[in-house]
């Protein structure tokens, strides 16, 4: 067995794990990161596209904001629409806060580059990750390295940043953990296309055929989504069928607006669910990001919640390990969960307001709610405050 010793063993090299490693290193705390996939695979997963103000503030304060400032696209708000009506919600006017279009792939690249420049040890391509002795002061993580060597990382703290399918969350004993889950009866079919966006800011569209969204990654790359039934086979959706459904649902031809189609470079179907596990700390194990909670993507909160968790956890671990002060570590789970539940509610609310359920009564309530949100300053401010993000530490 190869033995490695560090202060913090981090499972998962996604945004939560890599950002945590970066923030800890800046305060003189060492970590080792263990990742099941290859570096290329983690770096190329097409996922989140929107960063809220507090995530951008944190990335900037951690010296990760240079490329974001040059290549990120600051948006004042979003469009909310239903047939025949499109309304712009200006988050800056409503709350003084804005959002940025900057893909998770780009955040991941910046994190990988920063950690590599610092000489960070990341074990990619590991298998059989297991957590041990979490209730003691010397927990450890074992795995088989990419080259086949059984390895043990002994640490003072283990952090599970291993997303929705990793082993960390189930290492909390059954008697201690509690979880909540809601599975939605629809999925998103997402495409990435090599075509300039047909809109300057994101469009969230309610339509009797189902929800549609127009997002983007850059001046030349568009990202679009369609609500589809839960068990959709991607092979049933040709590119033409996708563009035609998007045109209908997004209102092509209304008020002189049109949707420009283009070559599709990626397409996939994503199931939608909400999940929360508590507590986010057990003994010397801490959970952060998707390892502890999952939201449907409608509110653009998943990546931002992962960043917010790590923004709370890093100073807590620095105090614990460098100053022997456990106050922030003891407060971490409750503090993180306040924001988690707020974002869980917001993501559920956006999802259920915008996705058709086939129920005529629901449909009338959705339209009434959309009209109120789009036309009342109080309604619009509620959406804006949640979407543009509450301050870190909320
Ligand atoms: P990740 O990114 O899933 O990383 C977890 C890492 O852990 C590794 N792992 C293991 N490593 C070692 N041993 C094991 N046994 C392991 N098991 C797993 C995994 O390989 C992986 O690399 O979790 P993290 O870091 O918590 O980050 C969370 C975000 O990735 C996620 O919340 C967002 O992508 C969600 N999301 C969005 N969030 C937003 O804030 N704004 C958005 O606009 C947004 N859009 C989206 C999204 C997610 C999407 N999908 C595909 C789920 C759009 C989509 C389509
Ligand atoms: C995206 O660009 O992928 C995206 C944007 C906003 C969302 C979800 C996904 O709410």
């Amino acid at each position: 067995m190869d033995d490695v010793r560090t202060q913090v063993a981090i499972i998962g090299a996604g945004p939560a794990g890599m950002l945590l490693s970066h923030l800890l290193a800046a305060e003189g705390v060492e970590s080792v990161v263990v990742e099941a996939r290859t570096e290329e695979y983690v770096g190329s997963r097409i996922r989140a596209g929107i960063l809220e103000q507090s995530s951008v503030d944190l990335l900037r304060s951690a010296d990760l904001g240079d490329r974001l400032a040059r290549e990120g696209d600051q948006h004042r708000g979003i469009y909310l629409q239903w047939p025949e009506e499109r309304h712009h919600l200006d988050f800056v006017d409503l709350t003084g806060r804005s959002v940025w279009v900057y893909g998770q792939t780009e955040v991941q690249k910046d994190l990988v580059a920063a950690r590599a420049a610092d000489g960070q040890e990341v074990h990619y391509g590991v298998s059989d990750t297991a957590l041990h002795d979490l209730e003691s002061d010397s927990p450890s993580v074992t795995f088989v390295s990419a080259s086949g060597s059984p390895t043990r990382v002994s640490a003072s703290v283990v952090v599970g940043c291993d997303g929705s399918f990793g082993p960390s969350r189930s290492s909390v004993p059954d008697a201690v953990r509690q979880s909540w889950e809601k599975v939605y009866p629809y999925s998103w079919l997402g495409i990435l296309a090599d075509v300039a966006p047909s809109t300057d800011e994101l469009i969230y569209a309610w339509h009797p055929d189902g929800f549609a969204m127009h997002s983007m990654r850059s001046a030349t790359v568009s990202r679009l989504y369609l609500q589809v039934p839960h068990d959709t086979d991607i092979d049933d959706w040709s590119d033409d069928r996708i563009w035609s459904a998007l045109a209908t649902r997004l209102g092509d031809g209304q008020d002189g607006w049109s949707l420009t189609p283009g070559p599709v470079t990626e397409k996939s179907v994503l199931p939608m669910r909400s999940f929360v596990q508590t507590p986010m700390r057990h003994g010397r194990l801490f959970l952060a990001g998707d390892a502890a909670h999952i939201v449907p993507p409608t509110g653009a909160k998943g990546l931002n919640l992962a960043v917010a968790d790590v923004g709370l956890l890093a100073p807590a671990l620095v105090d614990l390990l460098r100053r022997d002060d456990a106050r922030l570590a003891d407060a971490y789970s409750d503090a993180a969960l306040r924001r988690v539940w707020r974002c869980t509610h917001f993501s559920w609310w956006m999802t259920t307001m915008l996705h058709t359920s086939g129920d005529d009564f629901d449909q009338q309530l959705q339209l009434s709610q959309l009209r109120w949100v789009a036309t009342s300053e109080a309604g619009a401010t509620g959406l804006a405050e949640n979407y543009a993000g509450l301050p870190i530490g909320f």
Side-chain angles (χ1 to χ4, degrees), residues 91-145:
F91 302 159
V92 179
D93 285 350
L94 292 162
T95 69
R97 296 161 78 76
S98 54
V99 295
W100 275 256
V101 169
Y102 194 64
Q104 185 166 330
T105 44
E106 306 313 307
V107 175
Q108 187 73 27
K109 264 185 224 151
D110 295 343
L111 285 165
V112 168
R115 298 317 298 129
D118 220 14
Q120 174 65 40
E121 203 173 344
V122 182
H123 297 264
Y124 284 101
V126 309
S127 51
D128 298 336
T129 311
L131 297 77
H132 310 274
D133 304 321
L134 299 171
E135 289 166 13
S136 78
D137 287 344
S138 46
S140 63
V141 176
T142 54
F143 58 89
V144 177
S145 74

Side-chain angles (χ1 to χ4, degrees), residues 47 49-50 188 202 204 213 215 217 223 225 297-298 300:
R47 287 186 163 188
I50 294 286
W188 276 14
L202 272 58
Y204 286 77
M213 186 170 75
S215 181
R217 287 292 177 276
R223 177 81 166 142
Y225 297 99
T298 326

